[in-house]
Amino acid sequence: MHWHGVRVPNAMDGVPFLTQKPIAPGETFTYEFDVPDAGTYWYHPHHHSAEQVGRGLAGALIVEESEPLVVNRDLVWVLRDWRLARDASIVNDFGDRMEVTMAGRIGNVVTINGHVPEKISVLAGERLRLRLINAAPARIFGLEFRDLRPLIVALDGQPVEPREPSDNRVVLGPAMRADVLLDMSGTPGATASVVDTFYRDFYKLVELEYGKEPLLRAQPLHAPSRIRSNTMPEPDIDNAEKHTAVLGGGMMSGRGMMMGMSGNGMGWSINNVAGTSHDMTPMITLSRGRSCVISIRNETAWFHPIHLHGHSFRVIARNGQPTRDREWLDTVLIPPRETADIAFVADNPGDWMFHCHILDHQDGGMTAVIRVA
Ligand code: C2O
Ligand code: CU
Ligand code: CU
């Protein structure tokens, strides 16, 4: 079991053949670790994860702040999709070659906390904290809260200066989280819809339905303050070790039709190597305590949410331009042909996975190991 985003000691990271043997049926393994940082995390197996997570093995892991944000309700929304047949059974078509080299296995039914959502009741005037977790194996969400002004207060568990999402849309690739404050500014009896506009086929995720009750308060709440930051070690960019990670492969890469299907036939690569769980030779070795910058270049025609274990990193630049928020993330979504530069202090010793969190891409070779020694 892997504790996604939590800075655990390496032996507790739950990566089969790298940090432990997989837990066989009937076996027990005890995970024991301190949680260094407050925030919204999740957990899932790391063994055959495309199918295991695809079939539902995943859950939310919330570490509360010592001084929580003042809200009326703190809600967790585990977002994901499923590929269901007409009788609602899970379609058994995991690992389809064609899908692996494209967007991954995207389902046909989207759920919140395991339910097909219809309406969620809210009160006019209340302030909600929504902890959004994308636990889907491949689907990217782009949520628009129509008629509302969502404020992002944390990303991947780490606080950010409260701000509106760009384009008014909260975009979450697989494994990414956002804590969103929603002031329910509508009137009693009204509804507000949450729409997912990431792909061309827009759909309504859920309707927020205001109760008939009177307003909880006449005036809107004060602007929220920033959540107290976790104590992440600050990378020293000027003296950082510099590395590059080039994401390659997949269909329509532009260098010949079936580019990704050639070579060893796995489809995806990092720095020209298709990673497997049989060869965990580190791609990069970092010296413990050093700051480093990894420039991740997506040379494919597809989005990739790239995740590093054991550390949070700052996203310091995108396409060569400094980012405004230099946000701390553990998973960074990189659009086709774009780059993201991440910076962190390699302070957690061990061998750590660095992979795409579209689980079909991970299985298809977009995975590597970074050693902190
Ligand atoms: Cu969410 Cu390598 O994992
Ligand atoms: Cu992880
Ligand atoms: Cu990917």
Side-chain angles (χ1 to χ4, degrees), residues 59-77:
L61 194 163
I62 308 300
V63 183
E64 292 178 326
E65 290 118 21
S66 47
E67 297 158 42
L69 268 190
V70 181
V71 293
N72 296 101
R73 284 191 291 159
D74 186 326
L75 304 176
V76 178
W77 282 11

Side-chain angles (χ1 to χ4, degrees), residues 89-137:
S89 63
I90 293 173
V91 179
N92 189 18
D93 63 348
F94 295 94
D96 176 83
R97 278 276 296 246
M98 204 59 163
E99 250 171 5
V100 166
T101 56
M102 302 177 76
R105 188 174 176 276
I106 292 180
N108 52 6
V109 175
V110 173
T111 57
I112 298 179
N113 301 337
H115 295 275
V116 175
E118 282 164 28
K119 291 195 161 94
I120 292 182
S121 310
V122 295
L123 283 179
E126 74 174 330
R127 175 171 281 182
L128 304 179
R129 176 183 188 161
L130 284 186
R131 297 177 186 261
L132 306 172
I133 301 172
N134 182 352

Side-chain angles (χ1 to χ4, degrees), residues 244-255:
T244 308
V246 178
L247 313 179
M251 292 290 277
M252 297 176 278
S253 70
R255 286 193 238 142

Side-chain angles (χ1 to χ4, degrees), residues 44-55 137 355 359 362-363:
H44 60 82
H46 221 280
H47 189 51
H48 299 305
S49 50
E51 177 158 0
Q52 294 204 4
V53 175
R55 289 185 179 276
H355 65 87
L359 300 171
Q362 178 190 358
D363 283 355

Side-chain angles (χ1 to χ4, degrees), residues 2-6 13 15 42 44 46 175 177 307-311 330-331 352-353 355 357:
H2 173 60
W3 316 95
H4 184 115
V6 182
D13 203 40
V15 178
W42 67 301
H44 60 82
H46 221 280
R177 290 89 64 212
H307 172 50
L308 173 64
H309 287 212
H311 303 76
D330 55 55
T331 307
W352 303 103
M353 299 301 298
H355 65 87
H357 224 291

